[in-house]
């Protein structure tokens, strides 16, 4: 039964990443409340949140620790502008993030795309302040995703999101990505990484004088369909960027906060980037917040008597106290629950539950990184994703394949019942989706 809320939503709300006409067949589901990994619709149905509500939720919905911190903060300080003012949550969060990453000078915004733009602007402005204004171009990886505002689209290599806006965008260059699935006979993922880094080197050798930064998603290009690569690529890219005087921006918006097993994905390569972009899991999925961290060297290039040499970027809600407090509570949970260690066991249990799916005859390239699982499905149909999504919902699971890549990115707190629901629901949905194909 379609709720009236759902019908009113289609009339009044323009939904994201959605061809609204599709809602003629499948109305949006009205969610009334959520708890742990479960979303509860207003018709009583519940859904296991297998994608952490677009990769933002870490510890389940309405976590009491984060809720308590937010309630406390709401009674103290809701918001104050961050220019000329400061407050405890933003200071404490900035100190925590610096300690966790080895970079600092946290600059805040409210979403991932803004973090991308801040990093790009800071990088180019750094070179300008350093007397090298010609270094104003960017390079990214094929299939990279860094957000969809006009500036971020420049480095987002996803034609579907970019084509209609091509005249508005100053396209960055792309170099081949190190996706381990490109391994030829006998090659390892590391071999692919070395080969791709060699291609990056050729590109940098020619263009470094005009290039401000290389931006990439470390270890997993999520929006590209969970394309995973060997950490060796990050080590080589770091060395090349240093050699050619090009900044390395790591976009940890999706991979940060334990998603790939380590706190941040780039840490598995033991490298220090010039910029780190954070968002999504930063507040545990409660409030919009993003941050860009950078080096003392970059910071110092802006530190001057002259106003115009400063970084004058701003957003009204920069450093919002509620969002910062939610982020602090989220980081506390990592310590309180020893999350990274606990996730090793959790991930093993989830992998075990997914074994029948992984062994399915239509599955190719099963892969995993930390709390991310992905499988390429041998399907003939372009609408695989849409049909699978619908069948998964019918089985009580929220999963949204990217093209023909099915993936799961659940919150870090699944009990046995939730794991079974996720794994069995995904397998049942796959079988239904493929049986349907066989009939047509
Ligand atoms: C989601 C995402 C973004 C964009 O973040 P928004 O908050 O959706 O603007 C940027 N980079 C990566 C890697 C992402 O996954």
């Amino acid at each position: 039964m379609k709720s009236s809320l759902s019908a009113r939503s289609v009339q009044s709300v323009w939904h994201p990443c959605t061809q609204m006409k599709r809602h003629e067949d499948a109305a949006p589901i009205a969610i009334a409340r959520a708890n742990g990994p479960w979303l509860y619709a207003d018709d009583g149905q519940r859904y296991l949140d297998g994608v952490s509500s677009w990769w933002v939720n870490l510890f389940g919905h309405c976590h009491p620790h984060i809720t308590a911190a937010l309630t406390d903060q709401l009674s103290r300080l809701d918001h104050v502008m961050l220019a000329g003012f400061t407050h405890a949550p933003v200071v404490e969060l900035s100190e925590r993030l610096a300690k966790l990453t080895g970079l600092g000078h946290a600059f805040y915004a409210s979403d991932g795309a803004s973090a991308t733009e801040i990093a790009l602007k800071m990088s180019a402005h750094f070179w300008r302040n350093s007397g090298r204004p010609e270094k104003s171009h960017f390079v990214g990886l094929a299939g990279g995703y860094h957000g969809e505002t006009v500036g971020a689209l420049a480095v987002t290599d996803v034609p579907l999101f970019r084509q209609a806006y091509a005249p508005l965008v100053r396209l960055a260059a792309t170099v081949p990505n190190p996706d381990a699935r490109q391994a030829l006979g006998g090659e390892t993922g590391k071999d692919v990484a070395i080969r791709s880094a060699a291609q990056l080197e050729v590109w940098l050798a020619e263009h470094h004088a005009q290039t401000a930064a290389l931006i990439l998603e470390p270890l997993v290009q999520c929006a590209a369909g969970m394309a995973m690569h060997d950490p060796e690529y990050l080590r080589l890219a770091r060395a090349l960027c240093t050699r050619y005087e090009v900044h390395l921006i790591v976009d940890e918006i999706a991979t940060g906060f334990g998603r790939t097993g380590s706190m941040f994905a780039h840490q598995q390569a033991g490298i220090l980037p010039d910029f780190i972009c954070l968002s999504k899991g930063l507040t545990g999925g409660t409030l919009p917040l993003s941050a860009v961290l950078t080096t003392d060297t970059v910071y110092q290039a802006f530190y001057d008597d002259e106003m115009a040499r400063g970084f004058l970027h701003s957003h009204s809600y920069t450093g919002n106290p509620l969002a910062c407090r939610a982020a602090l509570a989220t980081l506390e949970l990592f310590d309180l629950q020893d999350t990274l260690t606990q996730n090793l066991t959790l991930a093993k249990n989830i992998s075990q539950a997914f074994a029948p799916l992984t062994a399915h005859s239509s599955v190719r390239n099963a892969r995993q990184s930390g709390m991310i699982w992905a499988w390429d499905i041998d399907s003939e149909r372009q609408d695989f994703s849409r049909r699978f999504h619908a069948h998964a919902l019918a089985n009580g699971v929220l999963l949204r394949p990217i093209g023909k890549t099915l993936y799961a990115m659940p919150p870090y707190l699944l009990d046995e019942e939730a794991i079974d629901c996720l794994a069995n629901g995904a397998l049942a949905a796959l079988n239904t989706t493929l049986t349907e194909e066989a009939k047509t």
Side-chain angles (χ1 to χ4, degrees):
M1 198 187 73
K2 309 232 179 317
S3 73
S4 68
L5 204 55
S6 167
R8 280 162 55 202
S9 190
V10 171
Q11 292 304 313
S12 61
V13 180
W14 201 332
H15 289 262
C17 201
T18 298
Q19 169 50 265
M20 290 298 288
K21 193 165 193 292
R22 292 269 162 85
H23 281 316
E24 288 177 7
D25 301 326
I29 297 166
I31 298 297
R33 63 190 181 87
N35 190 259
W38 302 101
L39 302 167
Y40 296 88
D42 65 356
D43 64 0
Q45 262 289 344
R46 73 171 188 177
Y47 302 94
L48 194 276
D49 189 351
V51 297
S52 296
S53 284
W54 258 350
W55 321 343
V56 300
N57 193 285
L58 300 185
F59 294 102
H61 294 269
C62 301
H63 193 287
H65 185 73
I66 303 176
T67 304
L70 273 175
T71 309
D72 177 69
Q73 188 57 43
L74 198 49
S75 64
R76 291 170 191 273
L77 174 65
D78 51 358
H79 184 68
V80 62
M81 58 191 277
L82 200 64
F85 295 88
T86 194
H87 50 82
V90 79
V91 173
E92 285 167 25
L93 178 60
S94 305
E95 290 171 352
R96 285 294 310 263
L97 291 176
K99 217 174 190 170
L100 284 168
T101 60
L103 298 190
H105 312 288
F107 196 101
Y108 293 93
S110 305
D111 52 59
S114 301
T116 296
E117 302 221 357
I118 287 164
L120 298 180
K121 283 177 69 178
M122 265 186 192
S123 172
H125 197 163
F126 167 89
W127 293 115
R128 181 185 168 85
N129 281 353
S130 309
R132 302 172 73 177
E134 67 286 355
K135 283 173 83 70
S136 66
H137 293 265
F138 301 101
V139 58
L141 301 188
Y145 181 93
H146 303 286
E148 294 168 54
T149 52
V150 172
L153 272 181
V155 288
T156 285
D157 184 33
V158 181
L160 182 64
F161 297 150
R162 190 150 85 175
Q163 251 154 18
Y165 316 102
L168 314 183
V169 176
R170 197 189 74 164
L171 273 195
T174 53
V175 289
N177 67 46
D179 184 344
R181 287 173 295 181
Q182 298 168 100
L184 306 169
E187 269 190 331
T188 63
K190 190 169 172 180
D191 295 329
V192 179
I194 292 168
R195 177 148 49 84
S196 311
Q199 291 165 310
L200 171 64
E201 177 164 16
V202 169
W203 192 90
L204 285 175
E206 188 175 348
H207 301 284
H208 66 95
Q210 294 80 39
T211 304
L214 163 68
I215 184 168
L216 55 78
E217 299 154 87
L219 295 194
V220 188
Q221 292 185 287
C222 295
M226 304 301 153
M228 299 184 185
H229 58 254
D230 192 280
E232 182 68 8
Y233 186 78
L234 303 176
R235 280 187 284 273
L236 295 169
R238 170 68 279 182
L240 289 169
C241 284
T242 303
R243 171 136 58 93
Y244 286 101
E245 296 187 293
V246 166
H247 287 141
L248 175 61
I249 304 171
V250 297
D251 177 348
E252 292 264 9
I253 290 166
T255 52
F257 304 103
R259 263 304 154 198
T260 68
S262 48
M263 195 59 173
F264 299 104
H266 72 272
Q267 293 173 335
Q268 290 183 39
I271 60 157
L272 202 60
D274 298 290
F275 296 89
I276 303 174
C277 300
L278 303 172
S279 190
K280 292 208 165 103
L282 176 55
T283 62
T286 54
L287 286 170
L289 180 68
S290 63
V292 176
L293 305 168
T294 190
T295 61
D296 294 343
T297 307
V298 168
Y299 179 76
Q300 285 302 331
F302 290 81
Y303 198 83
D304 198 87
D305 289 325
E306 200 186 315
M307 183 73 169
R309 284 176 66 94
F311 190 64
L312 304 185
H313 188 101
S314 67
H315 296 284
S316 311
Y317 279 96
T318 292
N320 174 258
L322 291 164
C324 290
R325 188 68 190 276
L328 280 169
T330 300
L331 292 175
E332 281 159 18
L333 280 174
F334 276 90
D335 291 338
L336 288 171
Q337 307 188 351
D338 197 10
T339 300
L340 297 182
T341 310
Q342 294 297 321
N343 276 1
L344 294 174
T345 312
L346 177 60
K348 217 158 81 191
N349 293 340
I350 295 175
S351 288
Q352 241 160 40
F354 276 137
L357 176 65
T358 297
H360 194 285
S361 60
S362 296
V363 162
R364 309 280 176 267
N365 303 313
R367 55 200 181 274
Q368 183 220 346
S369 174
M371 288 292 290
I372 305 173
W373 288 261
W375 307 264
D376 298 334
I377 308 300
D378 200 4
S379 157
E380 298 292 310
R381 300 259 303 256
Q382 288 311 315
D383 60 355
F384 169 80
S385 174
R386 186 151 55 100
R387 291 181 305 112
F388 180 95
H389 175 62
H391 291 309
L393 286 174
N395 283 288
V397 185
L398 164 53
L399 289 169
R400 253 176 84 115
I402 299 170
K404 291 175 189 174
T405 296
L406 167 61
Y407 76 91
M409 210 195 272
Y412 304 163
L413 85 168
L414 304 188
D415 60 14
E416 219 169 294
E417 183 198 9
I419 293 175
D420 285 347
C421 175
L422 176 64
N424 298 340
L427 183 60
L430 181 63
N431 282 325
T432 313
T433 309
L434 295 177
T435 308
E436 189 176 76
E437 285 184 18
K439 281 190 198 133
T440 52

